[in-house]
Amino acid sequence: MNKVSLYFENGLFLEAKSFGSDGTSVGECVFNTSMTGYQEIATDPSYAGQFVTFTMPEIGNVGCNAQDMESTKAHCKGVIVRSYQDRPSSFRCEETLAALLKKHGVLGITDIDTRYITKILRDEGAMMMVASTEIHDKEELKKVLENSPRIEEINYIEQVSTKEPYVHNQARYDILQFDYAKPNTSKKIIALDFGIKRNILNELTHAGMEVTVVPNSMPSSEIIAKFEAKEIDGVFLSNGPGDPLILKDEQEKIRDMIAAKVPMFGICLGHQLLSISHGYDTYKLQFGQHGGNHPVKNLQTGSVEITAQNHNYNVPDNITEVAEITHINLFDNTIEGVKYKDAPIMSVQHHPEASPGPHESAYVFQEFADMLG
């Protein structure tokens, strides 16, 4: 393993070992409390621009495989782990985590005190950092970081969104059959790709929707024309990376669809963009919510769901002026889901497709299908 040096914007300088790609990379450092799912996390486009510090100390134990990819590649800037295991043991393993990271130019950092880093991020908040296998001088790394744009200044969805439309034609993975179920669809929707996860698409088709995934650049006029011609029944707004406040084109596009009364469902970034498009700006959480063990209460049924989370931004409390709150996070009472009062629009902040429960939050996909009529 090569040496890798880390410099954080609070002045912290650390040295560790590298097991991924070589090079120099700048991004925002966050921590994730999931016990499993490191491959899904690394390949989630919502982590574009971020280094993910895992609180689970042993990472790499079961390797990686094609079925657990949430997208076509690893999108994060790097992963930071206490102990990396390069000899995975699993009958599903097709390659090591190191091989996956190297293939996609992502740094892997190990032999470092992740508990220490997590406590700093918890107390001081998510922060920018630079990691390098090439530069090991603290002052030089500091200059690289100071001269690099911050994550909130970069439109990462232009990098992660699909370039061409495509139809998704598989449903939920059947672990007993080791294959994907065949979809039985009766509704047609467009999914605006801001960094969509494959398992979200699986759940949409599982709920009976034929999904055409389109680039984030698709004009709202074209989407509205398809809706008015009854070629589609609604629109899904996907998850994605970065600060939603800088996505002005996407906000305007959603406003057009709100005015045209297009039924919509948003997850994570889609949830945030719906709030902003209704006139309620998001705010940044101190260190965000990243993990697979967050309790969320459904205020309509009273049930508590164990959810997966991955966001740094949240919608404001005064959104109740236009929407009914349907879900809250029991860790900090932040808003996790809403239904808009005068429109066929719903959204959730958590990831109901990520299956930590394992399927106790998946009903929201069926609620969207039912909303389409």
Side-chain angles (χ1 to χ4, degrees), residues 164-278:
E164 298 292 337
Y166 64 93
V167 175
H168 184 79
N169 54 12
Q170 68 184 30
R172 183 184 291 173
Y173 185 73
D174 187 339
I175 193 64
L176 297 178
Q177 299 295 324
F178 294 103
D179 199 2
Y180 291 92
K182 303 301 180 185
N184 180 17
T185 57
S186 59
K187 311 287 175 61
K188 293 185 177 182
I189 65 168
I190 277 178
L192 268 173
D193 183 8
F194 305 139
I196 200 163
K197 294 171 65 179
R198 186 173 70 173
N199 209 36
I200 287 179
L201 296 173
N202 294 346
E203 291 291 344
L204 288 167
T205 56
H206 182 81
M209 289 167 273
E210 179 184 298
V211 188
T212 300
V213 185
V214 301
N216 68 297
S217 58
M218 186 175 189
S220 58
S221 58
E222 188 174 341
I223 298 174
I224 293 169
K226 288 181 179 293
F227 172 68
E228 292 177 342
K230 301 190 183 302
E231 295 177 15
I232 61 169
D233 299 295
V235 171
F236 173 73
L237 306 174
S238 86
N239 60 295
D243 187 342
L245 287 175
I246 71 170
L247 304 177
K248 303 302 182 183
D249 290 344
E250 285 69 26
Q251 294 165 26
E252 187 61 35
K253 190 176 303 184
I254 293 169
R255 290 190 192 100
D256 291 342
M257 291 190 287
I258 292 171
K261 301 189 182 304
V262 177
M264 285 184 280
F265 172 39
I267 288 179
C268 204
L269 180 63
H271 165 78
Q272 297 159 11
L273 286 170
L274 278 168
S275 174
I276 297 168
S277 300
H278 277 88

Side-chain angles (χ1 to χ4, degrees), residues 9-29:
E9 65 177 311
N10 68 348
L12 176 66
F13 177 74
L14 300 172
E15 293 181 345
K17 293 180 180 179
S18 167
F19 67 90
S21 178
D22 292 330
T24 301
S25 194
V26 175
E28 181 182 53
C29 189

Side-chain angles (χ1 to χ4, degrees), residues 5 14 22 34 44 47 76 89 97 114 138 142 194 201 209 228 237 293 297 303-304 319 340 373:
S5 298
L14 300 172
D22 292 330
S34 295
D44 180 352
Y47 278 109
C76 58
S89 176
L97 176 59
T114 51
K138 177 180 177 180
K142 180 180 179 181
F194 305 139
L201 296 173
M209 289 167 273
E228 292 177 342
L237 306 174
N293 53 359
K297 185 174 184 178
S303 63
V304 176
I319 199 173
Y340 288 86

